Amino acid sequence: MESTFEYFLEQLINGVTLGSVYGLIAIGYTMVYGIIGMINFAHGEIFMIGSFIALITFMILGIVGITWVPLAILIVLIVAMLLTSVYGWTLERIAYRPLRNSPRLAALITAIGMSIFLQNYVQLLQGARNKPMQPIIRGGIELMRQGDYVVSLSYLQMFIILLTIVLMAVFSLIIAKTSLGRQQRACEQDQKMASLLGVDVDRTISLTFVMGSALASVAGVIFLINYGVIDFYIGFLAGVKAFTAAVLGGIGSLPGAMLGGMLIGLIEAFWSGYFTVEYKDVAAFSILVLVLIFRPTGLLGKPDVEKV
Amino acid sequence: MFNLKTTVAAVALMALAGGVAKAEIKIATVGPITGQYASFGEQLKRGAEMAVKDINAAGGVLGEKVKLIVGDDACDPKQAVAVANKLVAEGVVFVAGHFCSGSSIPASKVYEEEGVLMISPASTNPKLTEEGGDNVFRVCGRDDQQGIVAGNYLADYWGGKKIAILHDKTAYGKGLADETLAQLKKRGIEPAMYEAYTAGEKDYSALISKMKAAGIDVMYIGGYHTEAGLMIRQARQQGYNVQLVSGDALVTDEYWKITGKAGEGTLMTFSPDPRKNPEAAPVVAEFKAVGYEPEGYTLYTYGAIQAWAEAAKAAGSLDLDKMIASLRSNKFKTVLGEIGFDEKGDVTAPGYLWYEWKDGTYDYAPVKVNTSR
């Protein structure tokens, strides 16, 4: 059974679903690194906050009586993106901007501090217990059948994959075509030159945090709907995996983050599926090490050009 | 002169501190107050608070009031040792804890060195009392008893089917899974799958697909309710009708909150439900009056503290050696029924029974309990 195509397909679906979550979070890491050269370790916590905001919004919608699922999810997505963006913006404004011109290490330590702060903040505010939610999207379509073994793609998985693709396309377009995207790319290349040419660097960086946080909150919403259990600690593990994905894909590269996320998700699913579940993290990280040995800048990362 | 003055002041201060501490007996309960097993931490905390309240209302222990300190180890072995050291420094004489075996075992070493008595309400790994010092007791069963019951059930009911055994790599989870596996092998049955997963993750879909593809009919999980709940939930989402069988770490209503309908029919082993003891009726009523259902290990914690208080009364002193002798030689009337302890520190009373989750609550299951080795 394990050697059949049906089984392969099932694990592929599992891997892509998981990879979507990693990829959406990884984009936040990669965008921030691209523009200010800093690893925002508190980004996993932003994802976790997005998830909590989504849960609270779902509960409020339940009380208000909006139970039509597509509308509820749309409202939750919008609310989560807006409120989480505020968190991301505030984070940058109070924790990182004052340190803009200090050594990189200072910003890095601050990021770790903010990560711990946000974790404890949610723990105190929301309690330490698991917050469960019952599935709201059920059912799916049957893709293949072999005897008793049915490969199905649930509506939820379809929704997750489609949403990820749409968001990826939209954000790639923003970076490539809009004036905001041009400003971001300019700041990425040379902040001083960009500011001399009239680009508001601080504003651009703030908007980068807002965009990254919005995507992380979408990942949070997906995580909540798909797995149905969240706690104040989920940001840590997801953050580590997403950071790995960003490095694997080439930190600083937007398509790289998505590719890295997908790869980590797929490696985990296939390794669990064909070898032992116990060593799936070992497998994922070994592949990261191998890639970095042969391509130090990651799969799609551009090598650093020495600025003269 | 200055030196003498400071010394005098320091001695006076110490005497003062000692005088204050004498007025009350400090005991502690330690469990996962935070983290993903926090629902069990709450059971321990609630049980301990109520026990101390009732004991103080009845005049305290040896004429002194009892003060409860609640420690949080988050089921992390490192944090457990840190908390144990902190409690020792605060002068705690007795600990009703910890919850997770992985925390209890390292913490018990600290208590042993410092001469603190420990009665775990919930840690079932055999090593706790087998390798622990004289100061270690427990009021719950052991995983080698639990594993035999589980292994026999799998052999009796699922002998010809495909069995998967999973564990979460913790002292409790792996210990229980391995005891079950050993009993299964003794009955001449090889499981079709043996896998370890990582606790704290949320995505087990790849593992579920793997079991589905291998045609596994029943999965036995040595692990806690969050992961077991997610697995059965994800199995049902994949349209996979596997039977879940697990151990005593599922006895919290949070399991049902995670699974919803998917948890219907889950089987687990747990010691006899103390809520059904006639001796426990007034305490159960007391809990319900404050709007709390004393499920799972709540009453076990209550019972551990009761046994300690009774033992102190019988010994007439809180001296560790006298307390150990008293615990080993006497019988205690507690909410758990009449209990005693053997030489190792294990409770003499009951083993394990089968429970089934149904409609958001668990009750005895119509399954034969086979304890033959």
Side-chain angles (χ1 to χ4, degrees), chain A residues 227-239:
Chain A
Y227 302 120
V229 180
I230 57 170
D231 55 69
F232 72 96
Y233 204 58
I234 54 169
F236 176 74
L237 201 64

Side-chain angles (χ1 to χ4, degrees), chain B residues 199-235:
Chain B
E201 289 190 338
K202 302 284 186 251
D203 186 291
Y204 296 106
S205 54
L207 175 60
I208 295 296
S209 296
K210 190 178 191 173
M211 289 197 285
K212 188 168 119 184
I216 300 292
D217 299 296
V218 55
M219 60 171 169
Y220 183 79
I221 297 181
Y224 295 92
H225 68 290
T226 38
E227 288 78 18
L230 280 166
M231 278 187 211
I232 196 68
R233 182 173 165 155
Q234 286 167 21

Side-chain angles (χ1 to χ4, degrees), chain A residues 1-2 7 10-11 14 18 123 128-130 132-135 149-150 152 223 225-232 234 237 241 268-269 272-278 280-281, chain B residues 33-36 38-39 42 169 193 195-198 200-203 205-207 209-210 212-214 225-226 230 233-234 237-238 252-254 256-261:
Chain A
M1 189 64 233
E2 288 191 5
Y7 182 62
E10 177 106 60
Q11 293 293 16
N14 290 338
L18 185 59
Q123 185 188 344
R129 291 182 63 162
N130 289 301
M133 192 179 91
Q134 289 312 308
Y149 190 73
V150 181
S152 57
F223 194 90
I225 300 177
N226 194 22
Y227 302 120
V229 180
I230 57 170
D231 55 69
F232 72 96
I234 54 169
L237 201 64
K241 292 274 169 66
E268 284 190 6
S272 307
Y274 289 97
F275 304 100
T276 65
V277 179
E278 194 167 1
K280 73 174 166 49
D281 290 341
Chain B
I33 304 299
T34 61
Q36 53 174 342
S39 60
E42 186 177 2
K169 301 186 250 187
M193 190 184 282
E195 286 275 7
Y197 60 89
T198 307
E201 289 190 338
K202 302 284 186 251
D203 186 291
S205 54
L207 175 60
S209 296
K210 190 178 191 173
K212 188 168 119 184
H225 68 290
T226 38
L230 280 166
R233 182 173 165 155
Q234 286 167 21
Q237 266 171 13
Q238 289 193 16
T252 160
D253 66 344
E254 198 173 272
W256 188 267
K257 283 188 188 141
I258 292 170
T259 61
K261 280 262 165 270

Side-chain angles (χ1 to χ4, degrees), chain A residues 54 57-58 61 66-81 133 135-138 155-156 159-160 163 217-218 221-222 224-226:
Chain A
T57 316
F58 268 122
L61 288 181
I66 300 175
T67 46
W68 191 53
V69 172
L71 180 67
I73 290 179
L74 188 71
I75 295 175
V76 166
L77 274 173
I78 292 169
V79 172
M81 283 171 91
M133 192 179 91
I136 52 167
I137 306 179
R138 292 169 198 271
Y155 295 130
L156 184 59
F159 166 72
I160 291 171
L163 184 65
S217 76
V218 174
V221 175
I222 290 176
L224 173 71
I225 300 177
N226 194 22

Side-chain angles (χ1 to χ4, degrees), chain B residues 142-159 179-180 182-184 186-189 220 245 267-270 351-355 365-373:
Chain B
R142 291 163 53 119
D143 286 339
D144 40 7
Q145 302 166 334
Q146 189 167 202
I148 284 168
V149 173
N152 281 332
Y153 162 77
L154 291 175
D156 290 342
Y157 287 77
W158 300 87
E179 296 288 353
T180 304
Q183 181 64 17
L184 205 55
K186 206 182 268 174
R187 297 281 303 268
I189 294 166
Y220 183 79
V245 183
L267 285 173
M268 63 179 178
T269 43
F270 182 48
Y352 283 92
L353 298 172
W354 281 106
Y355 291 80
V367 174
K368 189 178 63 165
V369 179
N370 180 352
T371 53
S372 55
R373 282 172 192 263

